[in-house]
Amino acid sequence: MNRVKGLVKKPPFWGFVAILLLLAINLAKDPRYLAITVSPVTGNLVGNVIDILRVVAPILLIAFGMCLVIATGGIDLSVGSVMAVSGAVAMQYLHDHGAPDSVGDALAAIGLALGVALLVGLVNAVLVAVVGLQPFITTLVMMLAGRGLAKVVTQGQNTNAVNDPMRWIANGYVLGIPVVFLLALVLIVVVAVLIRRSALGLLIESLGVDPKAARLAGVDRRALLFSAYLLSALLAGIAGLFATGSVMTVDVSQTGYQAELDAILAVVVGGTSLAGGRFSLGGAVVGAFLIATLDKTIVFLGVPASATPAFKAVVIVVLCLLQSQRVRGWIGQAGARMRAARKAVA
Amino acid sequence: MKQFLQHRAATLPTIGAVVIFVAMIAYGEIAYGRILQFSTLSNLLINNAHLVILAVGLTFVIVTGGIDLSVGAVIAFTSVTGVLLANAGWNPWLVMVLMVVIGGAFGLASGILVEYFGVQPFIATLAMMFLARGLASTLSTNPERLADDSPIRLIAAEWKLVDGPKVNDLILTPGVLIAAIVVLGAWFVLHRTRLGRTVYAIGGSEPSALLMGLPVWRTKVWVYVISGTLAGVAAVVYTARLGIAQNITGIGWELDAIAAVVIGGTLLTGGVGYVAGSVVGALVLGLMIVLITRDGKIPPEMTTIITGGIVLVFVLLQRGLSVVRRNP
């Protein structure tokens, strides 16, 4: 019983409940919603669940990076723009130089795109860790400038390109499962092991809990901030390749648009406080799945996609209220009253 | 010199913004000409009245150390609602009042989430941004056109004060007048009333403000209500000028407003800032667009990079000054 109570108090639990609730709504509309079938033509798995896996991949990546940055007591508003920049660089390179079936060209484009993404991350890191600017304003500037940079790279066009290896990464399947999801899974497992199996996670938490105490304890603040912002930018760069690769077109004003908000939402749903300090990578995964499921559900129910934000708002408000001390107190009181009433009856 | 810097450190960024504004006008006049004349300056005020109003509202929130991301979306929702109601035959004056009230209601909701339920300002106002944008999209996803003879458009009626040669007229609109009244009112409230002093005290140190017995909770709800209400006012002014409302109106305006506030010398950590600074900040952004258009050689894609650069320069300036202040 106590164990159940502990679970209910953990924020990711409510995110998990919300995902089940959304799936239940979909099932009510179509009893075959969760069915996974093998496509007779390609041999790949098809179904709504597989679609969700595909949608969740980029959100997982940026949510992971965001989680670490938030844990240091910062925030990275530039991830959406980094997605656009990375996609723009890759598409422009392939458009100008790429042969349609060259693996080398695809790798060069990916390398170039991730290099530029890391450059944006480096600027963030230098301004935050060395100059000492606030993360909010620093990454806000990079969010504005980054999208501008993407537009400059493509000269304001929505560049498209043809390259089969690149398209395979974003749209292909291995063992019937989307490549993007497998890649995202491998990346987040590597990062999670790196963070949680070493002292890195603890050091990052110490930075977020109390920067002064961390400094007195000899924690290398700069190195940690650099790794957090660089990692966030790198993961966002990969997410940008996923997002543009699936249609092989970069939409400079729409690619990654408001992705930073999705990432922050996923992290907060997962129970990581925006104030920094203790963070939950597992919670961020639950949060990312919640957002992907929500996005798919809204489309499935036939609600216009532009109304999606209103549903996200409801989810945020409900989850924040469930986590707030005041509402917890109310629920506790109501529970105590009910127990008292039951005792009186008995 | 150093002593002067330390003494005046709080006002210097704002003075810097004024200097930059004057320098931009001077540069524009020398390089492109026809900047320092009635028509250009009138248009600068008319086209940026809504941004000035937004920036003034956001100043209150940011001085307390909070943030309001919902203002752009609130403008979208209130203007779509307003135009739909006006076209449905509602009394236009009532509609305008309703638009302002709806804006205030969104602010109140943010304030209650932040203060009563302890939600972080960033998340609470993000929720309101999503809610307002989503609701606006459920109302209509098409551009809704206001009837040309609607009294709401009177807010954008042009008053020719000075009839210059050719088209060089000094023009004002009721919208600009509303912005001026908002600026004066906000200046009075922030710099001359108890509410204003409390706003600064909260931004300086919230625990100290609480220990001093100041009404911290009430004040923090108020700043969000003020920000939301002014977003409603900005929606009236903007919709009247454009005559069209759409669910995608005002995307990214919260960033423009934050940029204007920061350029004007308000610290994002709270406690320091001026209404006048935010006005200048908004005008710097507006003038920048004018100069880029006049130049013609700068590709429009560069606009956001330049905006980002300007904000960065100002933040670095503030950062440098705070270092000077701390190490006498």
Side-chain angles (χ1 to χ4, degrees):
Chain A
M1 186 63 199
N2 271 335
R3 238 183 160 172
V4 176
K5 255 189 190 163
L7 196 66
V8 171
K9 276 205 178 128
K10 276 195 181 144
F13 173 79
W14 292 107
F16 197 66
V17 170
I19 295 177
L20 292 183
L21 211 64
L22 285 173
L23 290 179
I25 292 173
N26 287 329
L27 273 178
K29 189 169 183 232
D30 176 6
R32 290 182 38 77
Y33 185 79
L34 289 178
I36 299 175
T37 51
V38 178
S39 159
V41 188
T42 55
N44 298 324
L45 298 178
V46 283
N48 292 309
V49 180
I50 303 296
D51 271 354
I52 291 177
L53 291 187
R54 185 196 297 286
V55 174
V56 85
I59 307 177
L60 266 180
L61 293 180
I62 52 174
F64 241 60
M66 184 69 76
C67 188
L68 294 176
V69 172
I70 287 179
T72 66
I75 196 150
D76 189 352
L77 299 179
S78 67
V79 288
S81 293
V82 170
M83 283 175 73
V85 173
S86 141
V89 169
M91 289 306 137
Q92 192 65 37
Y93 179 82
L94 290 174
H95 182 81
D96 293 345
H97 306 286
D101 52 355
S102 161
V103 178
D105 283 338
L107 288 179
I110 292 172
L112 207 60
L114 296 186
V116 175
L118 279 174
L119 214 60
V120 177
L122 190 67
V123 176
N124 279 334
V126 168
L127 288 176
V128 172
V130 181
V131 183
L133 290 187
Q134 292 167 51
F136 182 88
I137 195 75
T138 306
T139 55
L140 183 70
V141 165
M142 289 316 288
M143 170 187 177
L144 290 172
R147 203 159 281 283
L149 190 62
K151 287 181 182 169
V152 169
V153 166
T154 66
Q155 286 157 351
Q157 306 295 314
N158 291 342
T159 307
N160 60 339
V162 185
N163 183 283
D164 290 334
M166 185 83 182
R167 180 182 275 279
W168 177 80
I169 291 175
N171 286 330
Y173 290 83
V174 168
L175 301 174
I177 297 174
V179 175
V180 277
F181 180 69
L182 292 175
L183 275 177
L185 199 64
V186 169
L187 279 168
I188 64 170
V189 167
V190 167
V191 172
V193 167
L194 208 69
I195 301 278
R196 284 307 188 191
R197 289 287 157 217
S198 71
L200 208 57
L202 203 66
L203 293 176
I204 288 179
E205 281 184 357
S206 75
L207 205 61
V209 171
D210 189 343
K212 241 182 219 161
R215 200 180 48 129
L216 292 176
V219 172
D220 188 348
R221 176 174 161 274
R222 276 188 189 170
L224 286 174
L225 286 178
F226 265 87
S227 35
Y229 284 95
L230 284 176
L231 189 66
S232 173
L234 181 68
L235 292 176
I238 299 173
L241 293 176
F242 287 177
T244 49
S246 59
V247 283
M248 288 309 277
T249 306
V250 58
D251 183 336
V252 280
S253 54
Q254 285 301 315
T255 298
Y257 175 68
Q258 291 198 339
E260 60 281 348
L261 300 182
D262 276 349
I264 295 169
L265 185 53
V267 172
V268 171
V269 166
T272 303
S273 161
L274 276 187
R278 295 191 56 182
F279 63 98
S280 160
L281 290 173
V285 173
V286 172
F289 268 99
L290 175 58
I291 286 169
T293 316
L294 186 66
D295 280 346
K296 294 301 282 185
T297 302
I298 286 162
V299 175
F300 186 69
L301 294 181
V303 180
S306 56
T308 314
F311 294 88
K312 285 186 184 159
V314 172
V315 172
I316 306 176
V317 170
V318 170
L319 285 174
C320 283
L321 289 185
L322 280 176
Q323 291 172 22
S324 85
Q325 294 293 329
R326 196 175 288 269
V327 175
R328 286 255 178 93
W330 289 346
I331 294 174
Q333 278 171 14
R337 226 175 290 141
M338 259 169 66
R339 274 195 295 279
R342 223 176 289 153
K343 244 185 213 159
V345 171
Chain B
M1 181 64 192
K2 208 162 185 188
Q3 216 169 14
F4 171 78
L5 277 180
Q6 280 160 23
H7 199 64
R8 288 257 150 223
T11 46
L12 262 181
T14 308
I15 296 171
V18 175
V19 170
I20 295 269
F21 183 67
V22 173
M24 280 170 80
I25 288 189
Y27 172 77
E29 180 64 34
I30 293 164
Y32 315 119
R34 291 185 292 111
I35 295 289
L36 204 60
Q37 61 174 7
F38 285 145
S39 59
T40 311
L41 296 180
S42 309
N43 279 330
L44 184 66
L45 289 178
I46 293 169
N47 293 341
N48 292 295
H50 63 280
L51 185 59
V52 168
I53 298 171
L54 276 187
V56 166
L58 215 59
T59 310
F60 281 82
V61 181
I62 293 182
V63 168
T64 64
I67 192 90
D68 189 351
L69 300 178
S70 68
V71 289
V74 166
I75 286 188
F77 178 70
T78 48
S79 58
V80 170
T81 314
V83 170
L84 286 178
L85 287 180
N87 287 350
W90 285 47
N91 181 331
W93 303 103
L94 180 69
V95 167
M96 281 190 266
V97 172
L98 202 63
M99 286 167 77
V100 176
V101 170
I102 293 174
F106 272 104
L108 183 64
S110 299
I112 289 176
L113 276 178
V114 170
E115 264 322 290
Y116 200 65
F117 292 106
V119 182
Q120 285 151 332
F122 188 93
I123 294 295
T125 56
L126 179 68
M128 286 306 128
M129 166 185 173
F130 278 167
L131 187 66
R133 183 73 64 193
L135 288 178
S137 305
T138 49
L139 284 179
S140 160
T141 49
N142 300 318
E144 296 292 337
R145 181 169 278 282
L146 196 61
D148 283 336
D149 56 351
S150 168
I152 294 178
R153 300 222 60 174
L154 285 179
I155 300 289
E158 298 192 338
W159 298 328
K160 210 174 274 185
L161 297 185
V162 177
D163 198 356
K166 290 182 187 164
V167 286
N168 188 12
D169 308 327
L170 181 62
I171 300 168
L172 280 183
T173 62
V176 175
L177 197 65
I178 291 174
I181 293 170
V182 164
V183 170
L184 286 178
W187 175 83
F188 182 77
V189 172
L190 197 57
H191 301 299
R192 289 285 178 275
T193 63
R194 276 190 196 176
L195 178 73
R197 297 312 306 169
T198 313
V199 167
Y200 278 104
I202 293 172
S205 166
E206 196 172 329
S208 311
L210 264 174
L211 289 175
M212 278 191 279
L214 294 173
V216 170
W217 283 33
R218 205 178 61 207
T219 310
K220 276 178 84 176
V221 174
W222 264 115
V223 295
Y224 289 99
V225 172
I226 289 173
S227 172
T229 308
L230 290 186
V233 174
V236 171
V237 170
Y238 183 76
T239 314
R241 178 162 71 80
L242 213 65
I244 295 173
Q246 204 178 351
N247 64 324
I248 52 168
T249 302
I251 283 183
W253 284 7
E254 56 279 347
L255 302 181
D256 288 345
I258 293 171
V261 172
V262 170
I263 290 173
T266 301
L267 287 184
L268 272 179
T269 41
V272 177
Y274 299 96
V275 170
S278 302
V279 175
V280 177
L283 293 180
V284 164
L285 285 180
L287 185 59
M288 189 193 76
I289 304 285
V290 172
L291 292 186
I292 288 176
T293 321
R294 278 291 176 81
D295 185 83
K297 285 195 288 290
I298 303 171
E301 300 97 74
M302 293 285 288
T303 314
T304 54
I305 297 186
I306 297 172
T307 315
I310 291 184
V311 174
L312 188 61
V313 167
F314 274 89
V315 177
L316 286 174
L317 184 76
Q318 288 179 4
R319 173 76 196 151
L321 285 172
S322 69
V323 170
V324 170
R325 195 161 27 157
R326 249 184 298 139
N327 308 318

